[in-house]
Amino acid sequence: VLEPHAPADPAALEATAAHLSVYDWLVCASPRAVSALRERRGPAALPGGLRTAAVGAATARALHEAGAATPPLTGSGDGAAS
């Protein structure tokens, strides 16, 4: 069983969360990853032009709930995208 843990040094995640507008894509592998990003962004919306990709339907839902402007590209985790 995998247990989620906060990064030992959250500086990289905090810097990325604060500057998402400089990226073209946001790729999340789990709903927990989306949650961690939201915790660091606070109430700030995701940038409008940011494209998103998710591993699995639950992660795609989390990105949508986080305000992803475009529908998340969803992969099943087996290399296939839908």
Side-chain angles (χ1 to χ4, degrees):
V1 174
L2 296 176
E3 295 181 24
H5 295 281
D9 179 9
L13 178 57
E14 290 170 359
T16 299
H19 298 98
L20 279 178
S21 62
V22 303
Y23 296 97
D24 295 322
W25 281 92
L26 171 62
V27 180
C28 292
S30 70
R32 176 68 187 116
V34 176
S35 178
L37 185 67
R38 290 181 81 178
E39 287 171 11
R40 270 117 185 129
R41 286 188 60 77
L46 294 175
L50 185 66
R51 291 175 281 184
T52 58
V55 177
T59 308
R61 276 191 303 277
L63 277 170
H64 177 74
E65 290 168 4
T70 57
L73 175 66
T74 307
S76 62
D78 63 3
S82 57

